Amino acid sequence: MSKNLDAQPLVVDQLCKAYDGKRAVDGLSFALERGECFGLLGPNGAGKTTTLRCCLGLTAPDSGTITMLGEPVPARARQARARTGVVPQFDNLDPDFTAAENLLVYGRYFGLSDATLWSRIPDLLEFAGLASKADISLRTLSGGMKRRLTLARALVNDPELLVLDEPTTGLDPQARHMIWNRLKQLLAAGKTILLTTHFMDEAERLCNRLAIVDDGRLIALGAPRMLIAERIEPQVVEVYGEGADAWAKEQAGQFTRRCEVSGETAFCYVEDAAPLLAHLADRPQLKTLHRPANLEDVFLKLTGRELRD
């Protein structure tokens, strides 16, 4: 089957997968457009990992269809993966090889010649900010360096589609921002990205569109700013300090129809914050943070604040 360059990079239609009688993915449908970053968000146990494994042909679905880069999955998953780059949730680099050797050996799995790979490796290491680390043992690299090397490795076959599973988990802010900049460069170059993340600010920065899933079902789909505008009140006043929970139970209802208490903080969602802020100005024991609503507010409204294991 030849490449269909006009096909959507990934189309998932009514995907279902169950384990021990419990559906991990329950009729999930979404599609990626070329050149976009598409986020797949959800709490732990929502079905994200199972969905990714099905899309990559690593797990067979019970029903539904998947087409990746014009290829039916799982029937031609190997052919689709040859044009895909994957950054797994946990780094699986070979500690016995240098940074450059990791790229070389991985590239051989795609049938690329050593000459082709050696011509690509300097640019890939430069892209990852590791140009000076080519011959350094992997055991001496920091966690952030290894994560950047894993991203470079995913590009060794010049993929059309990148699948990134929580690419910045465990990184410090500097490393996260560097990876964000690199991903923006890839998008500007026309790559398509499927991203899972627990960082809502990351999704809001990078994603053109996103899907929020819970219990294996799609519960929201759209651009981040659109979801914020449609799904949540525009302003949030966080109230914390001594007696914040008691205040929320007794008086928050005068100023907002929706107030959620989590720990020692009351989250008040309002159309107009002025009356609430004026009221709180006379209560110095209560501290406040007034901010616009964001994607995390939408996520918590739709999926709840309960801790997931």
Side-chain angles (χ1 to χ4, degrees), residues 147-208:
R147 202 61 177 150
R148 281 147 41 201
L149 182 60
T150 303
L151 176 58
R153 188 187 65 176
L155 300 171
V156 75
N157 59 325
D158 191 22
E160 299 168 49
L161 172 65
L162 277 166
V163 178
L164 311 180
D165 192 3
E166 300 184 23
T168 63
T169 295
L171 299 186
D172 60 33
Q174 291 85 353
R176 286 182 67 201
H177 278 270
M178 182 173 185
I179 286 183
W180 289 348
N181 289 335
R182 295 301 186 259
L183 296 182
K184 289 176 182 177
Q185 291 178 28
L186 294 171
L187 291 169
K191 302 295 186 185
T192 304
I193 296 176
L194 175 60
L195 170 74
T196 75
T197 180
H198 285 298
F199 297 115
M200 296 300 108
D201 60 332
E202 182 166 278
E204 200 168 336
R205 283 172 180 262
L206 296 176
C207 294
N208 302 95

Side-chain angles (χ1 to χ4, degrees), residues 41-291:
L41 311 182
N44 290 332
K48 303 185 301 299
T49 297
T50 299
T51 298
L52 291 187
R53 289 185 59 83
C54 288
C55 290
L56 293 170
L58 304 176
T59 295
D62 296 331
S63 61
T65 61
I66 301 169
T67 305
M68 188 163 75
L69 298 173
E71 306 280 10
V73 176
R76 288 179 58 84
R78 188 168 67 86
Q79 290 82 352
R81 286 201 304 270
R83 297 156 55 198
T84 303
V86 179
V87 175
Q89 186 174 351
F90 302 105
D91 293 330
N92 55 359
L93 300 162
D94 194 318
D96 295 325
F97 293 152
T98 66
E101 288 169 343
N102 264 274
L103 301 183
L104 176 69
V105 172
Y106 189 75
R108 289 171 177 167
Y109 290 117
F110 294 94
L112 299 172
S113 70
D114 283 9
T116 297
L117 289 167
W118 282 121
S119 71
R120 292 182 181 182
I121 285 172
D123 287 341
L124 290 171
L125 291 174
E126 180 69 32
F127 176 83
L130 297 171
S132 64
K133 307 293 184 181
D135 300 321
I136 297 297
S137 167
L138 208 70
R139 301 177 193 278
T140 67
L141 298 184
S142 68
M145 291 177 181
K146 291 177 182 177
R147 202 61 177 150
R148 281 147 41 201
L149 182 60
T150 303
L151 176 58
R153 188 187 65 176
L155 300 171
V156 75
N157 59 325
D158 191 22
E160 299 168 49
L161 172 65
L162 277 166
V163 178
L164 311 180
D165 192 3
E166 300 184 23
T168 63
T169 295
L171 299 186
D172 60 33
Q174 291 85 353
R176 286 182 67 201
H177 278 270
M178 182 173 185
I179 286 183
W180 289 348
N181 289 335
R182 295 301 186 259
L183 296 182
K184 289 176 182 177
Q185 291 178 28
L186 294 171
L187 291 169
K191 302 295 186 185
T192 304
I193 296 176
L194 175 60
L195 170 74
T196 75
T197 180
H198 285 298
F199 297 115
M200 296 300 108
D201 60 332
E202 182 166 278
E204 200 168 336
R205 283 172 180 262
L206 296 176
C207 294
N208 302 95
R209 293 185 304 130
L210 56 87
I212 300 176
V213 299
D214 201 7
D215 291 325
R217 300 186 185 95
L218 179 70
I219 57 176
L221 176 67
R225 298 311 307 175
M226 184 197 79
L227 292 176
I228 294 168
E230 293 180 354
R231 298 279 187 153
I232 202 82
E233 295 84 353
Q235 299 185 59
V236 184
V237 178
E238 298 183 19
V239 183
Y240 57 101
E242 185 178 350
D245 52 347
W247 170 86
K249 292 176 184 177
E250 297 169 3
Q251 300 184 57
Q254 301 174 38
F255 305 95
T256 177
R257 287 176 294 179
R258 196 165 70 88
C259 180
E260 299 177 0
V261 177
S262 178
E264 298 180 347
T265 303
F267 295 84
C268 301
Y269 297 92
V270 296
E271 297 288 337
D272 178 10
L276 175 56
L277 292 172
H279 164 80
L280 291 169
D282 296 327
R283 290 159 177 76
Q285 78 279 12
L286 297 177
K287 301 176 182 178
T288 62
L289 173 63
H290 176 211
R291 59 174 176 81

Side-chain angles (χ1 to χ4, degrees), residues 27-39:
L28 186 61
S29 298
F30 61 89
L32 275 62
E33 300 296 335
R34 286 196 174 271
E36 77 170 342
C37 180
F38 186 94

